[in-house]
């Protein structure tokens, strides 16, 4: 008997609809920022979103890859996906509830934004719903300032971002923010360099409190918090001029992003092993990068 009941399929449909609506709203906010960017700092036409639907090669489903390359946002990828498929034996052994029935459904949104201005931090966010015989949510958001002078826990952007993530957590359980903040610090760590990728945020996985509506509302709150706080951070930094030294420092710091995503990131590995879209999975790579 399949674990993919009508109730689970309905829940996946609701999650998919939410993630797709959030994708459109975040792109609208980025396009507004592109319009606001002063031409003396950001010459050229404002960037606009390009959507690329795709279909899975295995199982049923697909998604929409969304891309924006502009004058303020050098590269942004915001992607949604939904699937009805079966895990490989290797992956089924790692997934709760998949040991007897490898069938699963999923829905997700994942984004990465690489601004042109080194003063504007790079940001990553993803949330997802996955169900086998067990169901859970996962995701989070983390901020990566590119310049060392901004990478303090006392920096204004750090405080603003963490306050937004805490505000998303606290109405549901005041213990979630410190727990998921610590998990983010542990997860986005580069062992070979003995340093964090950025200044953190929150990270959670296999989140199931036993109350689907509560957990879904929490996941929506993370998306709403991101949509509110990141444009504020961009507007607070986008007017600062930069030079060759700042741009070089930015590109070196982007190298840490490449190292983490290719060596350690579970989402990248899951997407590649589960038959995801290669273009969207690897769109997290910065457009320009350097190593010392």
């Amino acid at each position: 008997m399949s674990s993919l009941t009508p109730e689970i399929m309905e829940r996946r449909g609701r999650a998919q609809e939410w993630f797709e609506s959030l994708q459109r709203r975040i792109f609208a906010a980025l396009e507004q920022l592109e319009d606001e960017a002063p031409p003396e700092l950001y010459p050229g036409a404002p960037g606009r979103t390009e959507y690329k639907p795709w279909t899975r090669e295995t199982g049923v489903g697909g998604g929409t890859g969304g891309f924006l390359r502009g004058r303020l946002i050098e590269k942004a990828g915001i992607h949604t996906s939904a699937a009805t498929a079966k895990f490989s034996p290797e992956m089924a052994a790692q997934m709760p509830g998949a040991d007897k029935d490898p069938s699963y459904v999923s829905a997700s949104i994942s984004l990465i934004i690489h601004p042109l201005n080194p003063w504007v931090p790079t940001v990553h966010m993803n949330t997802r719903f996955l169900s086998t015989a067990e169901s859970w949510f996962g995701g989070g958001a983390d901020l990566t300032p590119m310049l060392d002078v901004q990478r303090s826990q006392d920096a204004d952007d750090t405080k603003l971002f963490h306050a937004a993530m805490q505000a998303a957590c606290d109405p549901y359980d005041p213990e979630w923010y410190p727990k998921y903040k610590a998990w983010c610090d542990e997860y986005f760590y580069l062992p070979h360099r003995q340093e964090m990728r950025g200044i953190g945020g929150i990270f959670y996985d296999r989140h199931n409190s036993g109350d689907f509506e509560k957990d879904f509302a929490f996941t929506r709150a993370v998306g709403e918090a991101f949509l509110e706080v990141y444009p504020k951070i961009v507007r607070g930094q986008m007017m600062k001029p930069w030079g060759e030294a700042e741009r070089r420092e930015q590109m070196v710091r982007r190298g840490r992003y490449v190292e983490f995503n290719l060596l350690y990131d579970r989402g990248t590995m899951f997407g590649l092993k589960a038959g995801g879209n290669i273009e969207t999975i690897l769109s997290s790579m910065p457009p320009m990068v350097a190593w010392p």
Side-chain angles (χ1 to χ4, degrees):
M1 182 177 177
S2 174
S3 58
L4 307 183
T5 65
E7 180 183 40
I8 291 298
M9 300 303 291
E10 185 268 341
R11 289 178 174 180
R12 194 279 299 274
R14 289 172 58 194
Q16 179 182 355
E17 183 178 3
W18 160 252
F19 295 142
E20 290 172 351
S21 70
L22 182 61
Q23 178 193 42
R24 294 189 295 270
R25 293 168 60 205
I26 295 174
F27 269 129
L30 295 183
E31 290 184 357
Q32 179 64 39
L33 291 168
E34 283 284 313
D35 290 340
E36 295 175 16
E40 60 271 21
L41 281 178
Y42 306 96
R48 287 296 178 262
T49 305
E50 179 183 8
Y51 291 100
K52 296 182 179 180
W54 60 276
T55 302
R56 291 179 60 87
E57 295 181 1
T58 59
V60 177
T64 301
F67 303 86
L68 187 150
R69 294 175 176 85
R71 53 184 185 172
L72 167 64
I73 305 300
E74 191 169 14
K75 179 183 179 183
I78 309 176
H79 314 303
T80 60
S81 67
T84 303
K86 290 186 177 183
F87 287 122
S88 67
E90 175 190 4
M91 293 194 68
Q94 304 172 31
M95 293 293 171
D99 53 341
K100 295 181 180 180
D101 180 2
S103 301
Y104 73 93
V105 295
S106 65
S108 68
I109 180 172
S110 181
L111 70 81
I112 181 71
I113 301 171
H114 292 291
L116 175 67
N117 189 329
W119 290 101
V120 183
T122 285
V123 73
H124 161 258
M125 190 274 286
N126 76 88
T127 51
R128 59 193 173 276
F129 172 73
L130 195 148
S131 183
T132 58
E134 301 178 28
S135 300
W136 65 89
F137 286 92
D142 64 286
L143 193 72
T144 303
M146 293 287 108
L147 303 182
D148 285 343
V149 70
Q150 296 177 292
R151 295 174 61 80
S152 164
Q153 293 295 311
D154 295 323
D156 290 344
D157 288 347
T158 300
K159 292 179 179 178
L160 189 63
F161 192 79
H162 277 282
M165 294 301 109
Q166 183 170 3
C169 295
D170 282 356
Y172 302 96
D173 190 323
E175 294 183 0
W176 287 358
Y177 171 69
K179 175 182 177 181
Y180 293 152
K181 177 183 182 298
W183 197 348
C184 185
D185 290 345
E186 178 184 355
Y187 181 71
F188 291 106
Y189 183 77
L190 292 155
H192 64 286
R193 292 191 179 274
Q194 298 184 338
E195 65 182 39
M196 287 181 61
R197 186 174 79 172
I199 55 81
I202 61 171
F203 176 83
Y204 60 102
D205 198 10
R206 300 181 183 178
H207 174 95
N208 180 0
S209 70
D211 183 339
F212 170 82
E213 296 300 339
K214 176 182 178 180
D215 295 342
F216 187 25
F218 165 58
T219 290
R220 296 197 304 271
V222 172
E224 295 287 2
F226 172 85
L227 181 57
E228 180 178 357
V229 72
Y230 188 64
K232 288 182 180 179
I233 291 173
V234 175
R235 289 187 173 96
Q237 300 289 354
M238 63 187 282
M239 302 301 291
K240 292 184 178 180
W242 71 94
E244 183 178 343
E246 290 84 6
R247 182 65 166 165
R248 173 68 181 178
E249 186 177 347
Q250 177 196 47
M251 288 194 287
V252 169
R253 179 57 56 181
R254 283 175 171 181
R256 308 292 207 268
Y257 229 86
V258 173
E259 292 170 15
F260 179 86
N261 282 22
L262 294 183
L263 294 174
Y264 306 114
D265 187 63
R266 298 176 196 165
T268 301
M269 303 307 167
F270 176 86
L272 294 174
K273 291 180 179 179
N277 181 274
I278 302 300
E279 183 179 12
T280 58
I281 293 168
L282 295 181
S283 72
S284 61
M285 297 298 105
M288 296 183 65
V289 64
W291 278 266

